[in-house]
Every structure is written in structure tokens, then in C-alpha cells.
Amino acid sequence: YVLSVQQVDDVEISGGRIVGDRIAHTGTTGEWGHGVMVRGATGITVRNLHVSQCWGDGISIGGAKAQGGRIVPSRDVVIADVVCDGNRRQGLTIGRPRQVRVYRSQFVNTGGTLPGCGIDVEPGAGDIAQDVRIEDCLVRGNWGAGIQLYRRVSDASIRGCTIEENRGDGVVVIGAQDCIVSGNVIR
């Protein structure tokens, strides 16, 4: 990872550019090489950041193993005014969080390995993604779905977004519950 934010509290990442090694990367398989990885952290804000050309995800939010092997989810994470462009695996992965807010951001031109979504909310087996808000975002030109809410996702909403020109579905909701998709432009 270019930036790893693991098991810490109250961190802000603001401004600048992260340019990954997608073009020069010598591997042909794998899904790692993220721009920003947040794991088991609380009170994290990522704003005014441009993340491009990462071998894996632009940004990934997940859990971390604590003592005894239990997984600690990330909590209270805000992604605002961010651009994730041309990353290989995902623009943004939301894996094991509680309370994530994504505002006024762009997730565009993702592709190269599956799933290739602009935003993929997909918790790992045995966990959930809960209380996720995606608002006023542009999700365009991704190889997979624009936004995916996949299994064990609850209390999520997608509002006021423009979701267009993705090769997969605009929005995919499979096995999620208590979710709202409202006031979006999807084409």
C-alpha cells in the first residue's frame, strides 16, 4: 500500500496525489497494491485526494485482526472530494465497516481484474457492512458495475449520484437489506 492506516484513531489524509505502479507493474495476477488501505481504524477522513493507476484498489476500507484472532471493523470513515481514476481492481472497496460516508467523489475508469467496480461494498465472510452512505458521487466508465452492494450489507444508501457508462450494471444489489437507491441518474 502507498498509505496504510491500520488500527489507529482520528487520522485525516488530505490533499495530494497518489499514482500507483499499474503501468510498470511486472506481475500479471493478484489484487493488492492499493493507494490507501484503512484497516480496523476509527475516525478516519480521506479528502481532497487524487488516487490513480494503482495495481489494486484506489482506496480500501476493511477490518484488522485483533488479539485472539477476532476481526475489528473500521468505524466512522469519511471519504470526501476524492477522485479514484484508472485503478486496476476497484475504485473504492468497502469491506468490513460500520458507518462509512462517501461524499462528492469520483470513481472512474476502473478495470483490469475482477470485479472492476467503481464502488464495491462487499464484506468478507462472517462479517457485515453496515450504515454506508454514498452521496453526490460520479461513477463512470468502470469495467464492472458502477456500484455494488453485495451480501451482508445493511442500512446502505446511494443518493444523488450520476452512475453512467459502466460495462456492468449501474447498481447491483444482491443479498443486501434495508438499502435505499434514490434520486440518482443511472444510464
Side-chain angles (χ1 to χ4, degrees), residues 137 139 160-164 182-187:
C137 291
V139 184
C161 295
T162 299
I163 304 163
E164 61 187 5
S182 176
N184 300 286
V185 174
I186 304 172
R187 54 181 166 233

Side-chain angles (χ1 to χ4, degrees), residues 8 38 42 48 65 79-80 110 128 135 155 168 176 183:
V8 294
V38 177
T42 301
N48 299 319
K65 283 189 179 179
I79 307 292
T110 307
I128 61 171
E135 299 177 5
D155 188 23

Side-chain angles (χ1 to χ4, degrees), residues 90-166:
Q90 314 269 48
L92 170 63
T93 295
I94 301 173
R96 287 188 162 124
R98 311 296 187 271
Q99 193 175 7
V100 172
R101 304 295 182 257
V102 183
Y103 302 123
R104 302 173 310 278
S105 295
Q106 297 180 32
F107 304 93
V108 297
N109 306 316
T110 307
T113 194
L114 295 174
C117 298
I119 301 173
D120 185 6
V121 184
E122 184 175 346
D127 208 342
I128 61 171
Q130 187 175 40
D131 191 10
V132 176
R133 305 285 177 263
I134 301 167
E135 299 177 5
D136 301 316
C137 291
L138 173 64
V139 184
R140 175 188 291 150
N142 300 289
W143 286 19
I147 300 175
Q148 177 168 269
L149 305 178
Y150 190 76
R151 298 189 182 165
R152 299 173 304 279
V153 175
S154 67
D155 188 23
S157 66
I158 303 167
R159 297 177 192 264
C161 295
T162 299
I163 304 163
E164 61 187 5
E165 300 174 18
N166 298 288

